[in-house]
Amino acid sequence: MGKAWIDNHSVECPVAAASGVELNLVRGKHSGSLRDKSFRFAMPRTELRLLRAFSGLGCLSLLLAGCAQRPAGDAAAPVAFFRVHGTAYGGQQPVSDATIQLYAVGTAGDGSAATPLLTQAVTSDANGEFTLSGYVCPTPSTLVYLTATGGNPGLPNGLTNPQLALMAALGACGGLGPTTTINVNELTTVAAVWPLAPFMSSYSAIGSGSSGATALASAFATAAILANTTTGTVPGLSVPSGTTVPVTQIYTLADALASCINSAGGVAGDGSACGILFAAATPPGGMAPTNVVSAGMDLAKNPTLDSSSLFSLVGGKGPFQPTLTSAPANLAVQLTST
């Protein structure tokens, strides 16, 4: 079994080990040696600083291709990627000190535990920016999503909002790479949570069994139509001809979530923005949610809940405009065709 090192994280390559290979970034090019032969080859500039591989030529080919391919004949081989950059925003302001995690969807049934792909979660900086590195895709087609939890949405220094939770559905892991940018905010959260709600039990438990894999993939495709995770805006890219995205409904729900995101937090019944949101999202006979993503999940699963108190959080000055002029009778987020 060969092994590669990317940002100090090892990646196993399922090919027979041969001789050592060492690659170094030199003015936009990589150079190295394989057995007794020296070589130099051009590659696009990347964030990669040093990569060592101890493997056969098959693993070397995998790495030189940007780690976006699998060895021939091995459909389950893990795939490694370089750095991915992103920003976490609450409304129009950055969220600092948020915990960022990249998850691969679960495979043990609806709402099954997702797999964290970052051995150590990263933290957003003062500008809400973060960088993902050293993760390994189970396969290029594995569906992945990103969460940002906790953090400071503009509160006085030292304070955080423990109920803050944002999410972005990113799709196939193989689609991520050095040029990928992620903007996670309330719009991407609504766009992700509403289609994925049937497959969720929490933000760290999104998945399906083999019989539901096609439906889960379809939900991710819907999320991509609803919002663009590169820009954090709605609608998404490649909206099918004749399809209408409910932009105003999404803005309204996002503003309701933003009222809690951009606060110091709270619990159901305490009169805070988070408290009002969590009380409004509590399922009949169920427990009140304790974070924003869970509140969105409960609203998506129970779209006919009384929305009057939820609508009171929207007002006319929310970060996303325009919004609905009155409380909606149904909180569903659905694409319509003409």
Side-chain angles (χ1 to χ4, degrees):
M1 183 72 73
K3 184 169 289 188
W5 294 88
I6 300 177
D7 292 336
N8 295 321
H9 291 265
S10 63
V11 180
E12 291 185 339
C13 295
V15 294
S19 58
V21 177
E22 181 169 322
L23 306 177
N24 291 279
L25 186 65
V26 181
R27 296 183 181 179
K29 295 184 177 181
H30 288 74
S31 61
S33 62
L34 177 62
R35 294 181 180 172
D36 297 326
K37 296 182 180 180
S38 297
F39 55 88
R40 180 178 290 271
F41 45 90
M43 290 184 68
R45 292 181 181 274
T46 70
E47 295 291 330
L48 187 61
R49 293 293 178 267
L50 176 64
L51 183 154
R52 293 177 182 269
F54 296 94
S55 66
L57 185 57
C59 186
L60 176 61
S61 298
L62 172 68
L63 294 167
L64 301 188
C67 300
Q69 299 179 4
R70 291 166 291 175
D74 192 342
V79 178
F81 287 93
F82 302 132
R83 295 176 183 266
V84 173
H85 298 281
T87 308
Y89 266 78
Q92 305 301 329
Q93 54 194 20
V95 178
S96 62
D97 296 320
T99 299
I100 310 297
Q101 182 58 265
L102 180 68
Y103 288 96
V105 296
T107 58
D110 292 349
S112 55
T115 300
L117 296 184
L118 300 178
T119 303
Q120 186 171 21
V122 299
T123 303
S124 59
D125 66 16
N127 297 314
E129 297 179 359
F130 57 86
T131 299
L132 310 180
S133 63
Y135 66 93
V136 178
C137 295
T139 72
S141 61
T142 298
L143 297 171
V144 297
Y145 64 95
L146 179 137
T147 61
T149 55
N152 185 334
L155 303 171
N157 288 339
L159 297 180
T160 60
N161 179 354
Q163 278 69 56
L164 190 155
L166 298 166
M167 182 173 152
L170 303 178
C173 195
L176 305 180
T179 61
T180 300
T181 299
I182 302 167
N183 190 322
V184 58
N185 60 17
E186 293 89 349
L187 295 178
T188 64
T189 301
V190 172
V193 171
W194 261 252
L196 295 177
F199 307 96
M200 293 179 65
S201 55
S202 71
Y203 64 71
S204 60
I206 301 177
S208 72
S210 57
S211 62
T214 299
L216 178 58
S218 178
F220 268 83
T222 297
I225 294 172
L226 293 175
N228 182 338
T229 57
T230 297
T231 59
T233 57
V234 296
L237 298 173
S238 303
V239 177
S241 177
T243 297
T244 300
V245 174
V247 174
T248 305
Q249 179 93 333
I250 294 173
Y251 281 171
T252 301
L253 292 168
D255 277 352
L257 301 187
S259 68
C260 177
I261 291 291
N262 295 305
S263 75
V267 296
D270 68 358
S272 67
C274 287
I276 294 171
L277 172 64
F278 297 159
T282 302
M287 299 289 291
T290 57
N291 65 70
V292 172
V293 166
S294 291
M297 178 186 71
D298 287 337
L299 291 171
K301 290 183 176 182
N302 301 276
T304 58
L305 287 172
D306 182 5
S307 62
S308 57
S309 60
L310 182 73
F311 189 74
S312 71
L313 298 172
V314 176
K317 297 182 179 180
F320 308 108
Q321 297 293 328
T323 58
L324 299 173
T325 57
S326 60
N330 194 301
L331 299 171
V333 174
Q334 297 176 328
L335 299 172
T336 56
S337 299
T338 56

